[in-house]
Amino acid sequence: MLEAGMFTVVVVGRSDVAANVISLELASPDDGDLPGWSAGAHVDVRVGGDDVRQYSLCGSPAEPSRWRIGVLREPNGRGGSAYLHEHAQLGSTLEVSVPRNNFPLVDASAYVFVAGGIGITPILPMIAAAECGGAEWKLYYGGRTRASMAFVDELAAYG
């Protein structure tokens, strides 16, 4: 039985995007649209039993039928990321909440984005929005190693 405010999505894509980081693409089981969201939004994801973790949406708000999250496997964490790394396979179902945005992108003519490691996930749609809106922007993105930095190929497409 689903908890109030939660609904089911299907994992329709999974890829490795850095060392110990996976990207999960989520869709509605009926291929309909998912609830809308804006850059900076996150969702709750049930990670086995009663545990819930929050993950930033890092796809495109302009693609209403798909959500994307990035998950860093935390070996010393409480088990949520390990659960997703082990159980979120193509065709798997997950329980999620509607998106919430406590980190919205504010309208501006220029931006400076700063991210470290998996913290790039809420910044990805912000960069896309800035680019689409014609705003100037800079990104400072750091990590322990290049291999540990998620979505660098996607970011490289911006030049």
Side-chain angles (χ1 to χ4, degrees):
M1 174 141 179
L2 290 175
E3 182 178 311
M6 301 288 278
F7 63 97
T8 301
V9 293
V10 177
V11 177
V12 296
R14 177 185 166 126
S15 59
D16 295 323
V17 292
N20 297 313
V21 179
I22 57 172
S23 171
L24 298 175
E25 188 174 341
L26 311 174
S28 174
D30 65 4
D31 285 326
D33 287 349
L34 294 167
W37 60 283
S38 59
H42 67 279
V43 295
D44 294 341
V45 179
R46 184 165 315 285
V47 289
D50 292 328
D51 293 334
V52 173
R53 301 291 184 273
Q54 289 76 42
Y55 292 94
S56 295
L57 293 171
C58 60
S60 171
E63 191 175 349
S65 65
R66 298 286 185 265
W67 287 350
R68 183 177 68 171
I69 60 174
V71 181
L72 168 65
R73 185 179 189 129
E74 285 285 353
N76 299 319
R78 297 175 293 156
S81 64
Y83 175 88
L84 290 174
H85 273 254
E86 293 165 15
H87 298 288
Q89 303 297 328
L90 291 179
S92 298
T93 59
L94 298 172
E95 291 178 35
V96 298
S97 70
V98 296
R100 295 185 312 279
N101 198 336
N102 298 323
F103 185 44
L105 180 65
V106 176
D107 247 354
S109 60
Y111 299 92
V112 175
F113 299 109
V114 179
I118 197 65
I120 192 65
T121 55
I123 303 299
L124 291 171
M126 291 181 180
I127 290 171
E131 186 79 9
C132 183
E136 294 180 27
W137 61 273
K138 291 183 181 182
L139 170 65
Y140 297 94
Y141 179 30
R144 290 187 180 126
T145 65
R146 182 171 173 82
S148 72
M149 296 170 66
F151 302 105
V152 290
D153 292 339
E154 185 174 325
L155 290 166
Y158 290 108

